[in-house]
Amino acid sequence: MRLSELSELSGVSTATIKYYLRERLLPPGRHVTATQSEYNENHLRRLRLVRAMIQVGRIPVSTAREVLAHVDDDSLGLTMRLGAATWALPQLPETPADDPAAVDAKREVERLLTELEWDSAREIGDLSPVYRSLVTSIATLNRLGYSVPTAELLLYARQMEQIAVYEMDQLEDLPKGTPQVEMAVASQVLCDPLLLSLRRLALEVETARRYGIA
């Protein structure tokens, strides 16, 4: 397809697509003449991912480029590609490792991961910014006096585990490699606000059930 067709199918202006091409967020098309290039379904899929990251995730262009570099790194196995792309997404500001609240929170996270039998997460540990974000979240809650009991953390984690299994099952239906990693990144960018909205709506509904709407 030509640039104009890509624009029509995606709903993204040609000027914006050209900007994404210049910023290396989209791979170049196949040159058919000196002034024209041809694009395919891979470009359309990538364009949707870029829009998701920038419009929904509010991710800076430089960060999006870093994420996509990991998405396209086929020298890595699928697990490492998924991990690297996820780690490049924006994370919570981190609590200093020597902060007493962070030290206590890290011990709590280790107990949680042991109980869950999430051995790979324990092995990776501090190397993962996602792990460090969890430590920061728990440390902040503890510091403010809103500690979450381990039993509740386990409940939340088990629910998240079910969602993770479902999402990974969906990836199995896609072609191996880049399409799977692209979908995994899109899922995280798009589903995080979706899950938050569903949680808040569920709380509204449960409140109304218990106490009425008035």
Side-chain angles (χ1 to χ4, degrees), residues 3-213:
L3 184 63
S4 58
E5 295 175 275
L6 181 61
S7 173
E8 183 177 354
L9 286 172
S10 65
V12 180
S13 70
T14 56
T16 299
I17 294 174
K18 289 178 180 178
Y19 170 70
Y20 291 159
L21 287 165
R22 288 196 302 272
E23 292 296 325
R24 305 192 310 280
L25 300 178
L26 281 178
R30 183 178 66 86
H31 288 295
V32 290
T33 69
T35 58
Q36 287 188 326
S37 296
E38 191 173 70
Y39 304 90
N40 55 35
E41 291 296 322
N42 293 334
H43 290 90
L44 181 59
R45 189 182 65 241
R46 175 58 59 88
L47 184 55
R48 287 169 176 158
L49 174 58
V50 171
R51 296 296 274 177
M53 288 194 291
I54 292 176
Q55 285 198 330
V56 179
R58 304 297 182 187
I59 296 173
V61 167
S62 59
T63 302
R65 188 186 302 115
E66 181 182 357
V67 172
L68 294 172
H70 294 304
V71 169
D72 291 331
D73 187 358
D74 57 10
S75 69
L76 300 174
L78 184 59
T79 298
M80 291 305 298
R81 287 172 77 180
L82 283 170
T86 298
W87 292 359
L89 291 170
Q91 308 291 336
L92 293 175
E94 295 179 19
T95 303
D98 58 353
D99 184 292
V103 173
D104 291 341
K106 185 173 180 179
R107 283 197 292 263
E108 191 170 349
V109 168
E110 287 298 310
R111 288 195 297 270
L112 175 68
L113 297 180
T114 299
E115 183 71 22
L116 291 165
E117 297 183 346
W118 288 5
D119 296 335
S120 60
R122 292 183 65 243
E123 291 171 9
I124 294 171
D126 283 332
L127 292 176
S128 167
V130 180
Y131 174 99
R132 298 196 301 270
S133 289
L134 178 58
V135 171
T136 294
S137 296
I138 292 176
T140 302
L141 289 169
N142 291 345
R143 190 183 297 110
L144 296 175
Y146 291 99
S147 301
V148 180
T150 301
E152 286 187 32
L153 289 173
L154 282 168
L155 176 64
Y156 287 132
R158 291 298 186 199
Q159 298 298 318
M160 292 300 104
E161 189 173 44
Q162 291 182 27
I163 292 173
V165 169
Y166 171 78
E167 292 187 355
M168 292 304 297
D169 285 345
Q170 303 306 307
L171 291 186
E172 293 296 318
D173 295 331
L174 297 174
K176 299 293 183 183
T178 298
Q180 291 178 315
V181 185
E182 285 182 334
M183 181 54 69
V185 172
S187 176
Q188 292 191 52
V189 171
L190 296 172
C191 287
D192 281 358
L194 173 64
L195 291 174
L196 176 60
S197 297
L198 284 172
R199 178 180 181 274
R200 290 177 174 175
L201 188 58
L203 285 170
E204 288 181 11
V205 171
E206 186 60 25
T207 301
R209 283 177 183 157
R210 296 185 183 209
Y211 308 117
I213 297 178

